[in-house]
Amino acid sequence: MLTIRMGLSACLAAFLLLQPVAAHAQAEKAVPKSQSEIQLSFAPLVKQTAGAVVNVYAERVVQRLNPFAGDPFFEQFFGQRMPNRTEKQSSLGSGVIVSNNGLVVTNHHVIQGADDIRIALADGREFASEVLLKDESLDLAVLKVSGRDDFPVLPIGDSDAVEVGDLVLAIGNPFGVGQTVTSGIVSALARNQVTPGDFGFFIQTDASINPGNSGGALMNMNGELIGINTAIFSRGGGSNGIGFAIPANLVKVFLAAAEKGDDTFERPYIGARFEPVTSDVAEALGLEAARGALVVGVVEGGPADKAGLKPGEVVTAVNGIEVEHPDALGYRLTTAGLGKEVALTVRSNGVREISIALNTAPETPARDERLLEGRNPFAGLRVANLSPRLAQELRMEAEKTGVVVVDVARGSPGSRLGFRPRDIVVSLNGVAVPSTRAMEDMLDDDPGFWRVEIERDGQRIRQFFR
């Protein structure tokens, strides 16, 4: 009796490896048809690609405060013999080399706050690196490795060509045990509400992903990068067969921004706000399913307004590609690229198509950032004039206007009174606050009694201070 040595998924993957390279894009998918096909292996594909997946070592120096610092009793007896201590903290993740001159893509949370970042290749060699571009809300970072220009590279594939059921390999360094390869399938697409980032659009896989895999490669059977492994769904800290990867097409536009030398990653601005489509809205509009992005607000004079987009309408597709939810719409607009024009399919009483140019958000009015000082409750607040660009940076609604708190100095009067970043200062003593300059002038009057109205997360809060 014959013995089957591999599972069906692995067998199918191995069979696909035999197809001619030039025919990958058009190759038909098939199940193994013989014992010899069942006994094939992932090994040739792993040998071809694993060298481009690296370990990322991030080290940061933190200061541990002496709990007795400032205590006159202990300072009298111990003086400076009990100073504050510093210690080094290290984190370990993975990364993918995407160009032979040493550009590495990884997750932002892998290198967050790091003072020193080193890259270790699969063969044990280590190199210093620097951060070219990072974005916390997208959880992506691009590093530049020093010293060489002939690194092994993992080519970036087309994540839009990925289908549920496709076979994939995940390569990374889980738990710091060393480079590890796991196999599985794509179990879902366009997943959102996975992380609290800018928007959610993830490839879901059942390939085992664990802590330390972050920043590693999710790869298809053509040996192409289709995603950056980012998150797991787990209550115990280990793999439960649900992992998430940032699609490669988003990685492409982020990498292009890093190669141009951009300091920040700019998102397209269309001047509209969206919410998920509910079953009631879908029924009212005659939609077959509760899918798409419901328009709930349009900025007057913005790109969406000029294109004729109206509140109450539903955007169902971008350039003919269906959008499942508002996060998917944000993803499609971002990956289309700045400077491009996209066609939106819109449903209301009928179906129509509109064109919108994708450009950066305007900074009008100028932010005129100011640090408030003096003997008043607002000392220590850094405020700015709210514009569409600043609202985008702060992840606030695009139509918001006024003076917004962008930072609060630790230990300042403003901090002690509970002010937070993203608070909008609506009025002082009943007078509207139109700009940072006007607010500073109001503080110079110093009436000694302050009646303050702020807007926080859509709620109005009124406070009295002396």
Side-chain angles (χ1 to χ4, degrees):
M1 183 173 64
L2 296 175
T3 301
I4 297 179
R5 299 182 180 176
M6 299 178 65
L8 180 58
S9 294
C11 303
L12 178 54
F15 173 72
L16 292 176
L17 291 176
L18 293 182
Q19 308 310 307
V21 174
H24 276 317
Q26 305 297 328
E28 293 185 3
K29 298 168 185 177
V31 297
K33 297 181 176 63
S34 68
Q35 172 70 13
S36 60
E37 291 174 0
I38 289 175
Q39 293 178 328
L40 294 175
S41 169
F42 285 117
L45 183 61
V46 173
K47 289 177 182 177
Q48 170 191 332
T49 58
V53 181
V54 299
N55 297 336
V56 179
Y57 297 95
E59 192 174 80
R60 60 186 61 85
V61 177
V62 297
Q63 188 175 55
R64 296 295 184 190
L65 296 179
N66 180 353
F68 302 111
D71 187 308
F73 175 81
F74 281 90
E75 287 185 353
Q76 177 182 355
F77 285 94
F78 298 101
Q80 298 301 313
R81 285 180 291 169
M82 298 179 66
N84 294 333
R85 295 183 299 109
T86 59
E87 63 180 45
K88 292 183 178 180
Q89 292 182 345
S90 299
S91 63
L92 174 64
S94 305
V96 183
I97 305 176
V98 291
S99 69
N100 59 12
N101 65 342
L103 291 184
V104 175
V105 177
T106 186
N107 286 138
H108 178 275
H109 72 260
V110 171
I111 56 93
Q112 187 171 16
D115 301 306
D116 182 44
I117 304 170
R118 298 192 66 81
I119 302 299
L121 273 60
D123 60 13
R125 290 176 296 168
E126 289 192 11
F127 300 90
S129 70
E130 61 175 329
V131 178
L132 294 187
L133 183 63
K134 58 183 179 180
D135 191 291
E136 183 175 7
S137 61
L138 294 182
D139 200 12
L140 284 174
V142 175
L143 313 177
K144 176 66 172 69
V145 181
S146 306
R148 288 165 56 95
D149 58 2
D150 59 346
F151 289 97
V153 173
L154 190 61
I156 302 178
D158 179 9
S159 55
D160 283 346
V162 174
E163 298 179 291
V164 174
D166 282 353
L167 289 153
V168 290
L169 296 181
I171 308 179
N173 185 1
F175 299 111
V177 298
Q179 191 176 81
T180 301
V181 181
T182 55
S183 66
I185 64 168
V186 173
S187 47
L189 297 170
R191 287 297 198 214
N192 66 337
Q193 298 180 348
V194 174
T195 64
D198 223 17
F199 49 77
F201 194 92
F202 293 89
I203 299 171
Q204 182 180 318
T205 178
D206 68 347
S208 294
I209 295 174
N210 288 285
N213 272 108
S214 293
L218 187 69
M219 185 175 68
N220 64 16
M221 293 298 103
N222 299 340
E224 297 170 330
L225 180 73
I226 60 168
I228 296 294
N229 296 322
T230 297
I232 60 174
F233 183 82
S234 174
R235 291 186 174 88
S239 175
N240 287 337
I242 302 179
F244 301 95
I246 298 171
N249 286 1
L250 181 56
V251 174
K252 287 179 186 177
V253 295
F254 191 80
L255 181 63
E259 290 178 319
K260 283 194 305 180
D262 292 350
D263 295 326
T264 59
F265 181 71
E266 297 280 358
R267 284 86 162 152
Y269 169 75
I270 65 170
R273 186 162 49 92
F274 303 89
E275 289 183 357
V277 175
T278 64
S279 56
D280 291 339
V281 171
E283 183 179 355
L285 296 178
L287 300 175
E288 295 78 12
R291 295 164 66 88
L294 175 66
V295 183
V296 294
V298 176
V299 178
E300 185 177 353
D305 184 39
K306 292 177 180 177
L309 195 63
K310 305 293 184 184
E313 296 182 317
V314 175
V315 178
T316 58
V318 177
N319 290 337
I321 303 175
E322 290 189 1
V323 294
E324 298 83 354
H325 41 69
D327 284 352
L329 173 61
Y331 170 82
R332 293 297 173 190
L333 296 176
T334 302
T335 53
L338 291 172
K340 303 292 180 61
E341 191 169 278
V342 296
L344 303 185
T345 303
V346 180
R347 291 283 297 266
S348 182
N349 295 325
V351 181
R352 64 192 180 99
E353 195 170 272
I354 63 174
S355 294
I356 292 185
L358 302 181
N359 295 304
T360 57
E363 193 163 342
T364 306
R367 67 180 65 193
D368 191 20
E369 200 169 291
R370 298 177 183 232
L371 177 63
L372 303 180
E373 299 175 319
R375 296 175 59 84
N376 61 71
F378 312 98
L381 302 185
R382 186 173 292 278
V383 295
N385 296 322
L386 197 52
S387 64
R389 175 169 294 203
L390 182 55
Q392 192 177 66
E393 290 176 14
L394 297 175
R395 293 164 59 192
M396 299 175 67
E397 296 172 5
E399 61 265 35
K400 295 294 184 183
T401 59
V403 174
V404 64
V405 178
V406 295
D407 193 24
V408 181
R410 187 175 180 180
S412 65
S415 172
R416 291 194 296 269
L417 291 175
F419 287 100
R420 303 177 191 171
R422 307 195 341 162
D423 284 347
I424 299 175
V425 183
V426 178
S427 66
L428 294 179
N429 292 335
V431 179
V433 181
S435 67
T436 56
R437 182 188 181 96
M439 184 173 180
E440 213 168 40
D441 290 342
M442 290 177 181
L443 297 183
D444 288 341
D445 293 341
D446 191 15
F449 177 84
W450 300 95
R451 187 170 74 254
V452 184
E453 183 178 3
I454 65 171
E455 181 180 326
R456 176 180 295 166
D457 298 328
Q459 302 294 320
R460 291 292 179 99
I461 301 174
R462 296 174 177 85
Q463 294 286 347
F464 297 88
F465 303 118
R466 289 190 179 277

